[in-house]
Each structure stands twice: as structure tokens, then as C-alpha cells.
């Protein structure tokens, strides 16, 4: 009878030690504050504060250079003039920002879906990889600005053509990062799936894609910024609204405050979307944060 008791104790000890490894000391002692998940850690707040300080410092240096060198207004203006333009015409910039944001998000969503599917096809099918991978590399060398007129011919001058330009630019980083992430799954995990006789679908969903999440989100962080630029490129070619149209109109009128105001709004959109995707990646792959 002693042996089962030892076995039970051993099992309990193993489970208990595993639980303790997964639990912080405060939570193990029953601290209610430790059991609540924190939205932002001290490290993330410190990183955010440094980023804000860096942006403010950039604006300060920009304004100082304008004050020191005093260039004419048709050559350069400071951030104070650009922000004054934003304050004077908030509805104008808000409506055009909304248009560009819609086009960028639509292009990013399409590029993400197609990029992940194409990256998975490259990984799981040697035939697809041998035929499609060289073609993708060749297409990627084509300047995306050159593709914009083609999309306008196919989809017209409306929303769709700008969204497809954004998709074309956002597509390739996700293809490469998805393929690299799936290819980097450790051999030990693949052997574990084989030993447990996991189906190909279960292996793909419970091992391969879970392991590839950090790599996919690394590509998504690049793609979301590129999608904003892609939407603006489409508006440059054929746009009657959006921040790209604002920049073109300001350029034709030599209105640098409006042009730099549009630049600031574009940078703010790209930064906000980048950190939003980064936040989502941290939530979906928390083990990546602990590994750092």
C-alpha cells in the first residue's frame, strides 16, 4: 500500500510543481491583485514614454531648424505651422484621413489573407513552391507604383483600385514571413505530432501555425505601414479624396503647411496601426514576450 501512496504523492508533486512554474509567487500566495491580468506592464509604459519623447524631440529639432535657417514658406515650414493648419481645418483633414484609412485597412486585410494562404501553400506543397516562388520574386521586383495604373484600368477610379494597390504592397512581407515561420517549426514538435498520430489538419492548426504566429505578426507590422503608403500611391495616380489627394492639391498650390500636416497625419496613422498590430501579436503570442 505504500507504493501507491508514494506514486500519488509524486503525481501531486509533479502537478503542483508544474502549477507553481506557471504561477507567479504572488498568485500562489493568493494575492488578488496578482491574479488580475495587466493590460500594460511597466516595461511597455516605459517604452511608450520613450517613443513619445523621441517624437516630441523630433518636432522640437524640426522647429529649431526652421527658426535658425528661416527658409521661405514655399520651401519649408515648421511643425507649428502644420499643426495650426490641422487646427484650422479639422473637418477637411478628418474626412480625407477616414478615406485613406479605409483603403489602407481594406488592402491590409486582403493582403494578410492572401499572403498567409500563399505562404502556407509554399510551405506545404513542393510543387507550388517550385512554380510560384520564382514568380513571386519576379513580381516583387516590379515597382508597385507601376501597378497602380493597371489596377485603375481594372477596377476604376473608386475605392477598389486604391485598396488593391495597398494590397499589392502589403502582400509580399506576409508571404515571406508566413513561409519562414512555418518552415522554422522545430523537428521535435513535428516528431511529437507524428508519434501521437495527429492528422495533418491538427498538426497544421495546433503546432505549425501556433509556432509561426510571431513570424506572421512580424510581417503584419511591416505590411500595415506599407498598406498606408499603398493607399496614398493609389490616390496619387487617380484620387479625388484622401490624404494623397490632399498632398497633390497642396503641392499644386505650393501650400506647404497643408502638405506637412498631411505628412504628420499619415505618420500618426502608420504608427497607431503598427502598435495596434504589435499589441495584438503580443496578446496572441505571449510566450514570445517571456522569451525575450
Amino acid at each position: 500500500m505504500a507504493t501507491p501512496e508514494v506514486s500519488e504523492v509524486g503525481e501531486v508533486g509533479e502537478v503542483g510543481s508544474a502549477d507553481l512554474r506557471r504561477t507567479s509567487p504572488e498568485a500562489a500566495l493568493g494575492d488578488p491583485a496578482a491574479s488580475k491580468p495587466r493590460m500594460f506592464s511597466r516595461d511597455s509604459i516605459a517604452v511608450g514614454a520613450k517613443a513619445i519623447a523621441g517624437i516630441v524631440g523630433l518636432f522640437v529639432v524640426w522647429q529649431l531648424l526652421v527658426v535658425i535657417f528661416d527658409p521661405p514658406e514655399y520651401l519649408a515650414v515648421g511643425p507649428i505651422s502644420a499643426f495650426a493648419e490641422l487646427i484650422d481645418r479639422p473637418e477637411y483633414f478628418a474626412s480625407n484621413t477616414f478615406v485613406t484609412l479605409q483603403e489602407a485597412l481594406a488592402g491590409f486585410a486582403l493582403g494578410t489573407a492572401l499572403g498567409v494562404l500563399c505562404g502556407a501553400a509554399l510551405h506545404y506543397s513542393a510543387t507550388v513552391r517550385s512554380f510560384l516562388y520564382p514568380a513571386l520574386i519576379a513580381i516583387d521586383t516590379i515597382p508597385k507604383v507601376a501597378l497602380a495604373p493597371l489596377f485603375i484600368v481594372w477596377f476604376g477610379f473608386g475605392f477598389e483600385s486604391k485598396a488593391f494597390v495597398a494590397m499589392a504592397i502589403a502582400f509580399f512581407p506576409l508571404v515571406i514571413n508566413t513561409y519562414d515561420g512555418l518552415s522554422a517549426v522545430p523537428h521535435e514538435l513535428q516528431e511529437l505530432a507524428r508519434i501521437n498520430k495527429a492528422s495533418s489538419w491538427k498538426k497544421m492548426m495546433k503546432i505549425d501555425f501556433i509556432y509561426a504566429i510571431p513570424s506572421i505578426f512580424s510581417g503584419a507590422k511591416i505590411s500595415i505601414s506599407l498598406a498606408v503608403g499603398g493607399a496614398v500611391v493609389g490616390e496619387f495616380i487617380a484620387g479625388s479624396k484622401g490624404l494623397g489627394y490632399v498632398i497633390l492639391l497642396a503641392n499644386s498650390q505650393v501650400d506647404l503647411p497643408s502638405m506637412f500636416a498631411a505628412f504628420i497625419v499619415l505618420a500618426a496613422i502608420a504608427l497607431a496601426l503598427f502598435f495596434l498590430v504589435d499589441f495584438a501579436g503580443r496578446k496572441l503570442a505571449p510566450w514570445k514576450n517571456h522569451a525575450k
Side-chain angles (χ1 to χ4, degrees), residues 33-286:
S35 60
K36 295 180 181 179
R38 292 183 178 181
M39 183 66 71
F40 299 105
S41 65
R42 291 181 179 179
D43 291 341
S44 62
I45 293 174
V47 170
K50 291 177 182 178
I52 294 172
I55 293 171
V56 172
L58 179 63
F59 283 133
V60 170
V61 172
W62 176 9
Q63 185 64 41
L64 286 175
L65 290 174
V66 171
V67 170
I68 292 170
F69 293 101
D70 193 22
E73 280 199 0
Y74 61 85
L75 288 180
V77 295
I80 293 178
S81 299
F83 280 111
E85 187 71 18
L86 287 172
I87 295 171
D88 289 342
R89 296 194 291 171
E91 297 86 0
Y92 174 69
F93 284 99
S95 60
N96 285 286
T97 298
F98 184 68
V99 171
T100 302
L101 185 60
Q102 283 182 307
E103 295 164 352
L105 290 177
F108 174 71
L110 286 171
T112 299
L114 293 176
V116 171
L117 288 175
C118 189
L122 291 174
H123 173 71
Y124 289 110
S125 175
T127 303
V128 171
R129 183 165 61 250
S130 59
F131 281 102
L132 191 59
Y133 198 75
L136 286 174
I137 298 299
I139 295 173
D140 191 31
T141 60
I142 300 174
K144 303 307 179 291
V145 179
L147 295 177
L150 186 61
F151 287 125
I152 291 168
V153 170
W154 288 347
F155 303 107
F157 290 88
F159 171 85
E160 293 81 3
S161 59
K162 286 82 170 180
F164 274 98
V165 174
M167 179 214 69
I169 296 179
F171 170 74
F172 289 98
L174 279 158
V175 174
I176 301 302
N177 280 63
T178 300
Y179 173 69
D180 288 343
L182 292 172
S183 301
V185 177
H187 180 70
E188 293 81 0
L189 292 179
Q190 298 178 7
E191 283 296 309
L192 180 64
R194 185 185 63 80
I195 291 171
N196 287 277
K197 298 180 180 179
S199 65
S200 299
W201 175 256
K202 282 189 175 182
K203 175 180 174 295
M204 181 175 66
M205 299 306 297
K206 293 186 178 295
I207 293 180
D208 295 351
F209 269 96
I210 297 297
Y211 192 87
I213 282 176
S215 181
I216 292 173
F217 270 91
S218 295
K221 287 189 289 186
I222 299 171
S223 294
I224 191 65
S225 301
L226 294 177
V228 176
V232 173
V233 167
E235 293 165 356
F236 280 165
I237 303 300
S240 58
K241 50 189 175 181
L243 291 174
Y245 174 74
V246 170
I247 293 170
L248 281 180
L249 185 62
N251 181 58
S252 65
Q253 299 173 351
V254 198
D255 183 6
L256 264 66
S258 292
M259 187 183 299
F260 279 100
F263 290 157
I264 290 173
V265 174
L266 280 172
I269 291 174
L271 276 174
L273 293 176
F274 176 90
F275 284 116
L276 186 63
V277 172
D278 182 62
F279 178 76
R282 290 175 183 272
K283 288 298 180 183
L284 289 175

